Amino acid sequence: MKFAIVIIENAESRRQIQEDRASFRKQIEGWMGQQAQAGALVGGEAFETESIAPVTVRRDADGARKAVEGPFAGGDETLGGYIIVEAADREAAVEIAKTWPTPETLEVRPLWVAS
């Protein structure tokens, strides 16, 4: 089964990035290399979170779509990216997520498969 590990940046991860971006990246690149060697890594991408703000598009009560500057949810946490992994089941995907080397919050979600 394929799972998305959604990466949610927080104050601590942003602090570490600002303190030593190269070291932070090296930790993630090492983790990705390990997952690739184990045959679990399918892909993934980081979101641009520093220089271009997100835009949230929602439907108003009258049904019209409206674009608003900013993330869909306020607060200290923001979406940072995602990793796609192949795992036997949800528990195995959670175990993979538990090995993530940096302090982001992670959400594990199964990918929908059309039938």
Side-chain angles (χ1 to χ4, degrees):
M1 276 182 88
K2 289 184 183 171
F3 293 84
I5 299 175
V6 181
I7 303 162
I8 304 164
E9 292 180 349
N10 53 43
E12 179 58 20
S13 64
R14 284 191 290 279
R15 184 193 68 73
Q16 287 185 19
I17 289 168
Q18 291 170 354
E19 187 176 283
D20 189 349
R21 183 180 304 273
S23 174
F24 193 87
R25 277 190 146 157
K26 189 173 185 170
Q27 289 179 70
I28 293 173
E29 289 168 356
W31 182 90
M32 292 181 79
Q34 291 170 348
Q35 297 311 314
Q37 282 186 331
L41 183 66
V42 175
E45 297 289 339
F47 297 142
E48 168 55 60
T49 60
E50 292 184 39
S51 63
I52 302 172
V55 174
T56 299
V57 178
R58 285 199 166 101
R59 193 177 296 269
D60 285 342
D62 66 359
R65 293 280 183 184
K66 182 178 179 183
V68 179
E69 287 286 327
F72 72 95
D76 194 35
E77 295 184 321
T78 58
L79 293 176
Y82 64 93
I83 304 292
I84 306 296
V85 297
E86 182 80 39
D89 53 30
R90 181 175 164 224
E91 291 74 25
V94 168
E95 290 304 313
I96 292 169
K98 285 180 177 180
T99 67
W100 185 254
T102 56
E104 293 86 359
T105 299
L106 303 175
E107 184 173 298
V108 177
R109 291 198 171 228
L111 295 184
W112 178 71
V113 178
S115 46

